[in-house]
Amino acid sequence: MPTEAPPAAPQTFEFQAEIKQLLDIVIHSLYTEKEIFVRELVSNASDALEKLRHLQITEKEIFDDRLDLEINLTTDDKAKTLTIQDFGIGMTRAELVENLGTIAHSGSKAFLKALSENAQKSAGLIGQFGVGFYAAFMAAKSVKVYTHSWRAAEPGQLWTSEGAGSYAIEEAPGQRRGAKIVIELKDDCSEFSQEWRIKEILERYSAFVSFPINLNGKRINTVQALWLRGKNEIKEEEYTEFYKFQSHAYDEPRLRLHFSADAPLAINALLFVPKENTEKLGLARTEPAVALYCRKVLIDAHPKDLLPEWLRFLRGVVDSEDLPLNISRQTMQDRSLIEKLNKVITKRFLKFLEEEAKSRPEAYAEFYREFDVFIKEGAALDYTHKDQLTKLLRYESSLTDTGKTTSLADYVSRMTGDQKEIYYLIGPSRVAIESGPYLEGFKARKLEVLFCYQSVDEYVMNNVREFDGKKLVAADHADTKLSDLAQPAEGALGAEETTKLVAWLKETLGERVSDVKASDRLVDSPVLALNSDKSMSPHLRRMMKAMHKDGADTPLRVNLEINPRHAVIKRLAETSASAPEKAKLVAEQLLDNALISAGLLDDTTQMVQRLYKLLETV
């Protein structure tokens, strides 16, 4: 090792005015969490090691060239100190003055200029101007930087400051290459001299730094940043291990998307779909958990705007080198960049789901059964990606077997004749829908009907509204029209009898019905009730009543349709003339039966009493 010249006397310097201003801002204003200084210093150490690694390729002579490229942290809770050492490029005396005391390389002048020009963007600057070193003074009584440049001829140096207004530099013989920062902590920041506290910070923010990070001699970052490696280089068990580590999970992921993009932003992403939907299990609403990184340094573990709300079930990592980071590296202030990230990642994930649905339909069906509510939420609310999301919707239908689903595209492909609408029915189960009266007319005309079982489905259908130019129409709504269907004339009430019965029912049922007419839908059932209120569906009415909302108790009026071919209706026509009081009981009972099928009968007390009266006449 070269013999160093006798050390020069310490020399004191005044911080430039801009540095003093910068220190005041960083210490008192910009950082929201003091722990951030650890991440900033580790990030700087990683940068110094990266520069040294490149120099090893181009330079023949490098001081202390056998040192491992690593970062070492040491805590001393008795002395209340934290030491961070790297074996990177180090600094000369002139570089210490340039980088830590003046505006030349620290970027502080540009930083302060940006602050003054646009206060709203003041948080988006540290990654651009490299002033993160000064964060140490949030927690430090004093900071000492022991350093030796990679240039062998340069002596070791010691930079010292209390962050008040000046700093001192003196020669320090015997230094290893790189930089060793010794932070004497303030009394109220002594927690950062505790090993457990620093370990917690490193695991949260610096777990994927490229170089080994050792805390008191123990390696901290043992999991690699898989998202930056090629997919062909990674084994399945590595993906699983990474998922469990990053997501704090115990199961294996259901689906995985690993991709990179260069435009419009440089992005490397590794996304996972968990095995189970925890919201479905009745647990709390899932919080966003795709972490945002910049060059393997954590920016935000739970960024709320990185992905749309309906993708909150995803886990994983997004890393972009194009991010301007704020002083605390915690929140993104450049909305246009966040929006670009959101757009690119969302479109890529939707494309991935489309490919899964096409190439692995069974796997997609399993995913959809578990996470369908998120896809439906997106289809109803995310107008930017509405078309892609609608293609991913799946429902059972009158033409599928129980448990099998169909897409809207497949439904449309099966449409025949002059059908211009996609029909759906909402009910608690397939059995309930198939046993009700609303499907009869559609089955008789060989029209497919989608079956919707979830409370969110009505909201989805009302917001999606159409697919491939075909309107989505509720099969049980009064406005839904069906083509004429040839019906056998024998055995049915005649036109005059039907007209007479319809008029009698209108008068008898009074304000309980908006209209009564002979049905073109019914085949096997005697009656059905159709909702005549376009703004208040049966399902919405039930929800509003459950929440005690105003308007839920508005008197209900429906359209009643009768089947002139059904034995009950024919008998009612006879009884209305011969025994009108008994016929009235039957008419009211038929209406209540229809309301039950429609999910519109709230109180069955009167119906039960009426049944007793009817039984007395048997």
Side-chain angles (χ1 to χ4, degrees), residues 22 25-26 30-31 40 106-132 295 323-334 337:
L22 171 65
I25 292 172
V26 170
L30 286 175
Y31 281 96
E40 292 300 330
S106 69
S108 56
K109 186 173 185 179
F111 170 80
L112 293 167
K113 184 173 183 288
L115 279 179
S116 62
E117 287 178 351
N118 192 340
Q120 291 184 345
K121 293 185 178 179
S122 63
L125 304 167
I126 193 168
Q128 295 169 297
F129 303 111
V131 295
R295 296 181 292 275
L323 300 180
L325 311 179
N326 73 4
I327 284 298
S328 67
R329 299 197 183 203
Q330 286 177 309
T331 56
M332 291 291 301
Q333 298 296 318
D334 192 324
L337 276 172

Side-chain angles (χ1 to χ4, degrees), residues 151-442:
R151 296 177 175 86
E154 293 289 340
Q157 301 288 341
L158 169 60
W159 182 97
T160 306
S161 178
E162 294 180 356
S166 64
Y167 63 93
I169 300 178
E170 61 183 287
E171 288 190 14
Q175 299 305 311
R176 309 303 302 267
R177 186 196 69 236
K180 180 174 70 174
I181 303 173
V182 181
I183 301 169
E184 183 186 359
L185 296 161
K186 297 175 183 176
D187 292 340
D188 62 348
C189 296
S190 61
E191 64 184 278
F192 300 113
S193 65
Q194 301 287 332
E195 180 177 339
W196 68 268
R197 184 71 171 97
I198 299 302
K199 184 173 184 285
E200 177 187 67
I201 296 169
L202 294 174
E203 288 179 341
R204 183 184 310 165
Y205 297 111
S206 307
F208 302 111
V209 169
S210 300
F211 303 96
I213 299 176
N214 304 307
L215 174 59
N216 295 335
K218 299 175 184 177
R219 177 75 180 268
I220 297 298
N221 55 338
T222 57
V223 180
Q224 294 185 10
L226 290 192
W227 65 87
L228 297 178
R229 290 171 54 189
K231 288 183 281 188
N232 296 332
E233 304 172 4
I234 305 173
K235 297 178 181 178
E236 200 67 32
E237 52 266 29
E238 290 182 279
Y239 276 124
T240 300
E241 180 188 359
F242 178 86
Y243 164 74
K244 290 180 178 180
F245 173 83
Q246 195 274 337
S247 304
H248 306 290
Y250 298 97
D251 59 346
E252 294 186 3
R254 180 181 294 276
L255 296 173
R256 177 186 72 244
L257 172 61
H258 187 182
F259 77 95
S260 60
D262 296 322
L265 295 170
I267 299 172
N268 288 281
L270 180 52
L271 306 175
F272 297 95
V273 176
K275 185 72 73 178
E276 294 183 332
N277 168 15
T278 55
E279 288 188 13
K280 194 175 182 180
L281 300 174
L283 301 179
R285 185 177 179 85
T286 303
E287 291 297 319
V290 175
L292 181 61
Y293 282 76
C294 178
R295 296 181 292 275
K296 293 183 286 190
V297 175
L298 180 66
I299 309 309
D300 191 341
H302 305 284
K304 293 188 179 300
D305 298 321
L306 179 62
L307 294 174
E309 181 70 13
W310 60 269
L311 276 178
R312 61 187 177 276
F313 64 89
L314 284 181
R315 302 289 180 267
V317 168
V318 171
D319 191 322
S320 177
E321 296 181 2
D322 294 327
L323 300 180
L325 311 179
N326 73 4
I327 284 298
S328 67
R329 299 197 183 203
Q330 286 177 309
T331 56
M332 291 291 301
Q333 298 296 318
D334 192 324
R335 300 305 310 163
S336 63
L337 276 172
I338 275 290
E339 287 169 4
K340 285 180 182 178
L341 277 172
N342 184 307
K343 186 176 180 180
V344 170
I345 298 165
T346 303
K347 282 194 170 184
R348 186 64 185 83
F349 184 72
L350 285 171
K351 182 181 177 183
F352 166 72
L353 288 183
E354 288 176 5
E355 292 168 350
E356 283 289 305
K358 183 177 180 180
S359 60
R360 299 203 309 151
E362 292 299 323
Y364 178 76
E366 290 181 8
F367 156 78
Y368 190 80
R369 277 193 292 271
E370 192 68 22
F371 294 92
D372 59 342
V373 67
F374 297 101
I375 303 300
K376 291 175 181 180
E377 179 183 327
L381 299 175
D382 188 344
Y383 294 101
T384 302
H385 305 99
K386 175 182 171 182
D387 291 343
Q388 282 180 283
L389 283 158
T390 304
K391 291 177 183 177
L392 294 169
L393 294 173
R394 297 291 186 271
Y395 292 99
E396 287 189 33
S397 85
S398 54
L399 296 185
T400 66
D401 294 332
T402 302
K404 300 295 182 180
T405 59
T406 184
S407 66
L408 297 184
D410 287 341
Y411 178 106
V412 170
S413 72
R414 292 189 290 268
M415 290 171 60
T416 58
D418 57 354
Q419 183 182 346
K420 295 181 174 61
E421 297 170 325
I422 297 172
Y423 301 108
Y424 66 89
L425 278 171
I426 295 175
S429 67
R430 187 183 185 107
V431 171
I433 292 174
E434 289 185 326
S435 60
Y438 299 98
L439 195 60
E440 295 175 8
F442 295 89

Side-chain angles (χ1 to χ4, degrees), residues 127-147:
Q128 295 169 297
F129 303 111
V131 295
F133 166 78
Y134 302 106
F137 288 101
M138 285 192 303
K141 282 183 181 178
S142 69
V143 176
K144 294 181 178 179
V145 180
Y146 297 88
T147 184

